Amino acid sequence: SREAPLSISPCPRRVLRGHHGSLTAMCWAGDGQHMATVSQNGTLFVWDAARARRVGCLALASSWMLSCAIEQSSDQLLASGG
């Protein structure tokens, strides 16, 4: 017998506003409450996702940021691009 396909209906829980340009990456911090995002406008934002508030902003050297990461034990941020 075949199982029925899983039906996923995503719905937004919070809208985080602030980036101009395409959002290219996001990652979660180890606390499960904060996240970082990078976009093609050359900014990295840190968010309190539960409250939908930006808590930090970093202007990056390049506008072509393609990825970001948060080192879980020390909360250091990494952004990389082309």
Side-chain angles (χ1 to χ4, degrees):
S1 82
R2 295 180 70 189
E3 290 184 30
L6 180 62
S7 176
I8 299 174
S9 299
C11 63
R13 297 180 90 187
R14 303 279 191 278
V15 175
L16 307 176
R17 299 186 192 282
H19 281 294
H20 301 284
S22 298
L23 187 69
T24 56
M26 68 79 57
C27 59
W28 285 99
D31 65 7
Q33 179 172 334
H34 292 87
M35 60 188 281
T37 57
V38 292
S39 73
Q40 288 182 346
N41 70 345
T43 56
L44 181 146
F45 290 161
V46 177
W47 302 90
D48 178 335
R51 293 178 177 82
R53 278 196 199 134
R54 189 173 65 203
V55 295
C57 177
L58 180 62
L60 303 170
S62 171
S63 62
W64 285 97
M65 290 294 114
L66 302 174
S67 63
C68 63
I70 300 175
E71 201 285 319
Q72 300 299 312
S73 64
S74 66
D75 289 336
Q76 292 183 343
L77 291 168
L78 169 74
S80 65

